[in-house]
Amino acid sequence: MRSVLRVLVLFALVTPFWSLFDQKASTWVLQADAMTKPSWFQPSQMQALNPALVMLLIPFNNLVLYPAVRRLGYELTPLRRMTAGIAFAGLAWIVVGAMQLVLDHGDVFTITWQVLPYVLLTFGEVLVATTGLEFAYSQAPLSMKGAIMAFWNLSVTIGNLWVLVANAGVQNSAVTKFIASTGFGVTAFQMFFFAVFAFAAALAFGVVARTYPFVDHYRRHDE
């Protein structure tokens, strides 16, 4: 039970990542709709980049990036990878926020620019999702592995609830006035807000990760 509770603290800090990641199917599609593109291309089709990039980045990380970093004398532990992944998601939203500012000023540009934030976000996904699942499985004793997987899925749900809270917040007149005073549009402001949210979560995750006591239940069946 103690092992599970320690993992749940980390899961709670991963929820901001999911609040950013899953908006590629909503906020990013709406942004893509305002960009120039071929007549036959639909904004939602940009999401096909995500699985394609996953298939490219996983072998790239395992065969090139991780060994290269290891040769430099730095070990990318699972928790370090996850910390970096959350930060990369924040960086992706900095990029889409900057693009939204350009669109808000009436300067329309091609949808191919969205490839950059998709690469950053998918790189973050590979570092967080694939690493996080294996890490959580290894930290839970045999009797709790199913529960850990359920809590991982719950972290995705809570991440999406953060989006609902943020969207409800901008309906408040005081919040709307504050956003107007910044000179940003509501969408651009929310994008930068979520980026800061991710950076704060990455910082907190990194701090907690430094004191996390690793255990190895990956292949143990005697608990």
Side-chain angles (χ1 to χ4, degrees):
M1 184 60 70
R2 284 194 297 270
S3 298
V4 172
L5 290 175
R6 286 193 292 265
V7 172
L8 291 186
V9 172
L10 295 174
F11 279 7
L13 295 172
V14 171
T15 59
F17 169 82
W18 296 115
S19 69
L20 276 67
F21 178 77
D22 285 338
Q23 287 191 74
K24 66 179 175 54
S26 54
T27 307
W28 287 23
V29 172
L30 294 175
Q31 183 186 69
D33 192 45
M35 299 175 176
T36 60
K37 50 196 166 296
S39 59
W40 53 267
F41 191 84
Q42 298 298 316
S44 59
Q45 290 177 293
M46 286 295 290
Q47 294 182 74
L49 278 173
N50 177 247
L53 288 168
V54 167
M55 298 304 294
L56 292 173
L57 288 172
I58 289 179
F60 171 78
N61 286 356
N62 291 334
L63 300 176
V64 180
L65 179 62
Y66 298 157
V69 174
R70 194 175 297 117
R71 285 194 296 269
L72 293 175
Y74 188 79
E75 182 64 33
L76 281 174
T77 64
L79 294 184
R80 287 174 178 172
R81 296 177 195 175
M82 294 174 71
T83 302
I86 299 171
F88 267 98
L91 185 59
W93 277 74
I94 290 289
V95 175
V96 294
M99 293 194 299
Q100 188 63 42
L101 288 177
V102 175
L103 292 171
D104 288 346
H105 285 83
D107 299 319
V108 181
F109 51 90
T110 176
I111 197 172
T112 54
W113 279 99
Q114 267 203 340
V115 172
L116 175 57
Y118 267 98
V119 171
L120 294 171
L121 186 68
T122 306
F123 186 62
E125 178 195 7
V126 170
L127 293 176
V128 172
T130 57
T131 305
L133 279 171
E134 182 177 2
F135 166 77
Y137 188 86
S138 70
Q139 298 303 292
L142 181 62
S143 60
M144 298 298 292
K145 291 188 186 298
I148 281 291
M149 295 300 104
F151 280 120
W152 176 261
N153 291 327
L154 179 62
S155 72
V156 179
T157 301
I158 295 174
N160 284 278
L161 291 177
W162 285 122
V163 180
L164 294 178
V165 171
N167 288 338
V170 298
Q171 304 302 318
N172 183 280
S173 59
V175 175
T176 303
K177 290 179 181 178
F178 172 76
I179 294 174
S181 69
T182 65
F184 293 158
V186 172
T187 301
F189 182 88
Q190 284 185 287
M191 288 174 169
F192 289 120
F193 168 80
F194 278 112
V196 172
F197 189 36
F199 290 138
L203 178 62
F205 190 97
V207 170
V208 173
R210 290 175 64 88
T211 59
Y212 182 86
F214 278 91
V215 295
D216 183 11
H217 294 303
Y218 191 66
R219 291 186 175 86
R220 291 178 58 185
H221 301 286
D222 55 347
E223 289 90 344

